[in-house]
Amino acid sequence: MTTTPSADTVPTAAALALGDDALVLSHRLGEWAGHAPVLEEEVALANIALDLLGQARVLLSMAGDEDELAFLREERAFRNLQLVEQPGGDFAHTIARQLYFSVYQHLLYDRLASGDGPFAPLAGKAVKEAAYHRDHAEQWTLRLGDGTDESHTRMQRAVDALWRFTGEMFQPVEGIDGIDWPRLESVWREAVEDVLGRATLTVPDGPRSGAWRAGAGRQGLHTEPFGRMLAEMQHLHRSHPGATW
Amino acid sequence: MATAAARDTAGSPTAFDAPAGPVGTEAFQRAFDAAVAADERIEPRDWMPDAYRATLVRQIAQHAHSEIIGMQPEANWITRAPSLRRKAILMAKVQDEAGHGLYLYSAAETLGVSRDELLDKLHAGRQKYSSIFNYPTLAWADVGAIGWLVDGAAITNQVPLCRCSYGPYARAMVRICKEESFHQRQGYELLLALSKGTPEQHAMAQDAVDRWWWPSLMMFGPPDDESQHSAQSMAWKIKRHSNDELRQRFVDICVPQAESLGLTLPDPDLRWNEERGHHDFGAIDWSEFWDVLKGNGPCNEERLSRRRTAHEEGAWVREAAAAHAAKHSNDTTGATRA
C-alpha cells in the first residue's frame, strides 16, 4: 500500500506507526509511577508519559477508534518501534531509551511540522513537547554518564544494550513522504554522539539492529516483553466487551 | 536544626508586631497569641512557640507523606486503565499528587526541617501517613471510589486549612484544594459511568463504594473525645473544625451524591434526622482504625516497603546528580540543574 497523503486520505499505516510509538512508550513510562528515584522525576516521567499519550490519542484517532486500536489489537498488529517497547530496566535504561527516541522524534516532528502533510498540525504541537523530552533525557544522560563511577557504568551499559534497536527508526515509514531518512539518521547520530561524548560515554559500536532485521517492529514483529505488556494493558478492557468507561 | 530564637535575631520583618527586647520572652508569646487571635498569618521568620512549630512539622509532613504514599493505590491501575481517556486522567492525577507532595515538603521546610530528613522518618516508620492508603485497590472502580470518597473527605478536611494560621501551609492548601476538587469530580464521573454501564460495571462500582465508605469516614480521625491534638490545634487556628463536625459534614454531602450515582452506602443506620438537620449514621469500627494506624492494615507493609525500595534503588541516581552538579558547579552551560 502506497498512499499519497491528501486532505481526505489519512495515511493509516503512518498514523499507526507514530501513534503506537507514543502509546507504547507512554505506557512504559507510566510503569514508573511510584517508583522514581526522586519526587521531581515522578512528576517529570508522568509528564512525558502524558504528552506521549496525548499524541497517541490524536494519531490513533486519525486511523480509527483510539480505544479499539489500543485495546483490541494483538501484538502482531502493533506498528511501534521495538525500542519503545523495551522494559524500563533501571533508571539508566529508561533514560537511554528516552534519549534515543526523543532525539529521533524531535527531529522527525520538526520536519513533519514544517511540511503540509496530514501530520503537520499534530507535529507542530508535539515538536515542542519532544524538545522538552529531549532536553530532559540529555540532561540526565550527562548527569549519569558524568556523575559517579557507578552511574557511569550503568549508563554505558544502558546505551550499549539499547543501541541495537536504534537502526529501526530510520526505515522509511509507509505513508510519510518528504523525509530524507538517511539524512535524518546522520543528524540523529551526530546529536546522540555529541551528548554521549559530553557525558564521557563511549558511542556503542555494535550493530544497530538485532537478530530481527531493522524495521521489524514496524512490520508487527516485536520482542517478547511486549506481549506481556499488552496483556496487562488490555486485560480489563477485553474483559468487558462493548462496555464504555 | 537552628532554634526558633536564632532565626529571629536578624531583626527580620514579621507579620505581627514583634515586641522589643530579647526574642522568645513572654512578650513574644503574647504578640503571637494576639496575631493568631486577629486571624493574622504566621510566616516562616516570625517567632512562634516551639510546640506550634513541632505540631506543624508533624502535620505537614504527615500530609506530604500521604500524598506520596497515596500515589501507590492509584498507580496500581495506570497500566490497566480501560480507556486511553481514563488512563490520561489517572496519570495526570498521580502526577498532581507528586506535585502536592513537593508543595507540602516545601511548606514543611520553611519550619527548619529538610525533605530528606522527613523522608527518612517516613521510611523508618517514625512519621505517619493517612491510614486510608493502607487499603488495596482491587478493581478499576476503586479508582473512582478513591476520587469520590477519599478525595472528597480530604477536601472536606483541607478546605478549612486554606485559612490555617501558618501562611505557607495555608497557601499550599489553596493550590492543592483546587486540584483535589477536580480529581474528586473526575472520580464521581468515573463511578457514574460504571453505575450507568453494564450490570457487571454497576456491581463493580457498588463493591468499591462498599469497601471504601467506612475507611473514608475514618479519615477525619478519632472521635473528638479521643483526639489528642485537636484542642491545641484549634486554639492555634491550625484546625478550624473538630473531627466529628467535619465527618458529619462529609456524610451530609455524600448521601445525595450517592443517590444521584445510583449507588447505596453500606450503612443500615444511615437516615435523615429532621431534628438535627443532619444524617445519623452507624458506629465506626474504631478497632479497625487503630489496627491500621498501628501498622496492621491490609497494605501497610507493602506501601512502606515499596516506598523504601524506590528510595533505595534511586540512591545511585541522586548520588550521580549530586556528583555531576559538584563537578560542574562552575559551568555556565546548563547541565547542572539537578
Side-chain angles (χ1 to χ4, degrees), chain B:
Chain B
M1 188 175 117
T3 64
R7 243 189 311 279
D8 290 322
T9 49
S12 51
T14 55
F16 58 85
D17 294 328
V23 167
T25 56
E26 269 178 46
F28 274 80
Q29 178 73 53
R30 280 195 299 275
F32 172 86
D33 292 342
V36 169
D39 276 333
E40 283 173 32
R41 287 279 164 82
I42 307 302
E43 296 297 338
R45 301 178 77 176
D46 291 338
W47 182 88
M48 63 188 82
D50 289 344
Y52 176 83
R53 186 184 300 276
T55 291
L56 279 167
V57 168
R58 180 182 54 78
Q59 182 171 339
I60 300 173
Q62 178 168 333
H63 196 159
H65 299 333
S66 301
E67 297 283 357
I68 302 313
I69 298 283
M71 294 168 70
Q72 290 184 33
E74 295 179 291
N76 185 37
W77 282 92
I78 285 180
T79 54
R80 292 176 291 167
S83 74
L84 296 187
R85 174 171 165 267
R86 292 293 178 197
K87 185 171 181 162
I89 290 172
L90 184 56
M91 270 188 189
K93 184 182 178 189
V94 174
Q95 182 192 19
D96 281 348
E97 282 157 5
H100 295 172
L102 287 170
Y103 299 161
L104 288 162
Y105 286 121
S106 298
E109 287 189 331
T110 65
L111 292 160
V113 290
S114 72
R115 192 212 297 184
D116 288 346
E117 191 180 333
L118 299 178
L119 281 173
D120 286 346
K121 284 186 177 157
L122 169 67
H123 299 151
R126 288 193 289 126
Q127 281 180 340
K128 293 190 190 319
Y129 55 87
S130 178
S131 59
I132 193 80
F133 300 119
N134 292 312
Y135 290 86
T137 48
L138 302 176
W140 168 250
D142 291 37
V143 171
I146 288 181
W148 176 44
L149 295 173
V150 175
D151 293 342
I155 293 163
T156 308
N157 258 330
Q158 292 171 11
V159 164
L161 287 173
C162 298
R163 294 185 297 123
C164 147
S165 60
Y166 188 58
Y169 192 25
R171 288 188 290 274
M173 291 320 303
V174 170
R175 298 179 63 177
I176 290 172
C177 284
K178 281 182 194 160
E179 293 178 346
E180 292 290 4
S181 39
F182 192 58
H183 298 160
Q184 200 246 351
R185 283 202 296 276
Q186 289 171 328
Y188 180 89
E189 194 253 340
L190 190 164
L191 280 182
L192 188 65
L194 294 178
S195 179
K196 308 263 183 242
T198 65
E200 291 78 14
Q201 286 176 305
H202 182 91
M204 190 196 286
Q206 183 63 59
D207 178 57
V209 169
D210 289 349
R211 283 183 287 108
W212 287 92
W213 173 249
W214 291 108
S216 300
L217 292 191
M218 296 177 200
M219 285 175 69
F220 296 92
D224 291 347
D225 48 13
E226 289 174 46
S227 177
Q228 52 169 329
H229 302 294
S230 276
Q232 182 60 72
S233 287
M234 286 177 79
W236 277 330
K237 293 190 180 170
I238 294 172
K239 218 173 142 121
R240 297 272 177 168
H241 310 279
S242 79
N243 294 354
D244 288 333
E245 268 172 56
L246 291 169
R247 188 167 13 244
Q248 179 70 62
R249 184 181 297 176
F250 178 68
V251 170
D252 290 340
I253 291 169
C254 285
V255 170
Q257 291 181 349
E259 270 168 35
S260 53
L261 276 172
L263 298 170
T264 57
L265 296 171
D267 180 359
D269 297 326
L270 185 64
R271 62 181 59 84
W272 177 250
N273 182 327
E274 190 65 53
E275 222 167 281
R276 293 202 305 124
H278 289 292
H279 292 86
D280 291 337
F281 54 98
I284 290 171
D285 180 357
W286 290 110
S287 65
E288 174 178 321
F289 174 78
W290 294 116
D291 268 354
V292 176
L293 214 63
K294 270 183 273 175
N296 302 321
C299 299
N300 297 58
E301 195 58 43
E302 290 90 331
R303 298 289 187 244
L304 208 51
S305 124
R306 158 79 79 83
R307 179 87 267 293
R308 280 192 203 115
T309 306
H311 191 73
E312 283 160 16
E313 288 180 353
W316 70 272
V317 176
R318 296 189 299 275
E319 283 157 17
H324 182 85
K327 283 186 208 178
H328 296 272
S329 58
N330 296 320
D331 285 10
T332 50
T333 53
T336 51
R337 295 173 300 163

Side-chain angles (χ1 to χ4, degrees), chain A:
Chain A
M1 180 175 96
T2 312
T3 51
T4 306
S6 68
D8 58 344
T9 315
V10 173
T12 303
L16 286 181
L18 302 182
D20 287 350
D21 283 350
L23 177 71
V24 171
L25 186 54
S26 167
H27 186 95
R28 285 301 193 196
L29 290 172
E31 293 172 344
W32 272 100
H35 295 271
V38 57
L39 278 178
E40 283 80 355
E41 283 306 297
E42 294 283 1
V43 178
L45 296 175
N47 206 324
I48 296 168
L50 268 172
D51 286 345
L52 291 168
L53 185 53
Q55 295 166 13
R57 297 182 65 193
V58 173
L59 286 158
L60 294 183
S61 297
M62 290 170 82
D65 178 273
E66 61 176 35
D67 285 338
E68 274 179 33
L69 288 168
F71 295 103
L72 298 176
R73 272 182 300 160
E74 295 188 14
E75 63 178 289
R76 286 286 280 112
F78 274 82
R79 293 289 176 264
N80 54 282
L81 298 163
Q82 291 181 348
L83 173 68
V84 296
E85 75 202 28
Q86 296 312 306
D90 68 3
F91 191 68
H93 278 77
T94 288
I95 292 301
R97 187 182 62 193
Q98 209 58 34
L99 176 72
Y100 291 158
F101 182 76
S102 62
V103 173
Y104 160 79
Q105 197 196 36
H106 184 234
L107 296 172
L108 177 62
Y109 280 13
D110 185 54
R111 282 155 182 73
L112 291 175
S114 59
D116 58 359
F119 298 112
L122 172 274
K125 179 172 180 287
V127 72
K128 295 174 197 148
E129 297 167 349
Y132 162 79
H133 304 167
R134 176 179 173 171
D135 183 53
H136 174 264
E138 290 184 357
Q139 298 297 333
W140 271 113
T141 303
L142 296 177
R143 288 190 197 106
L144 299 181
D146 188 17
T148 62
D149 288 346
E150 182 183 9
S151 71
H152 178 89
T153 305
R154 284 180 184 253
M155 195 64 213
Q156 186 67 56
R157 201 184 297 152
V159 297
D160 289 347
L162 294 172
W163 185 248
R164 69 192 180 97
F165 297 106
T166 59
E168 186 181 5
M169 296 190 284
F170 306 100
Q171 297 297 306
V173 176
E174 186 183 326
I176 295 183
D177 295 336
I179 299 292
D180 180 347
W181 294 95
R183 169 83 189 134
L184 191 74
E185 178 164 16
S186 63
V187 176
W188 177 88
R189 205 176 161 124
E190 228 170 86
V192 167
E193 284 180 2
D194 172 62
V195 178
L196 296 182
R198 284 190 290 133
T200 72
L201 295 162
T202 309
V203 177
D205 59 1
R208 308 248 326 275
S209 64
W212 291 111
R213 67 197 155 84
R218 293 277 188 243
Q219 313 305 317
L221 295 170
H222 294 279
T223 55
E224 285 183 346
F226 185 53
R228 283 191 295 281
M229 191 205 100
L230 284 188
E232 182 172 353
M233 183 174 105
Q234 298 182 336
H235 171 262
L236 178 60
H237 185 96
R238 285 182 181 271
S239 300
H240 296 263
T244 51
W245 301 93

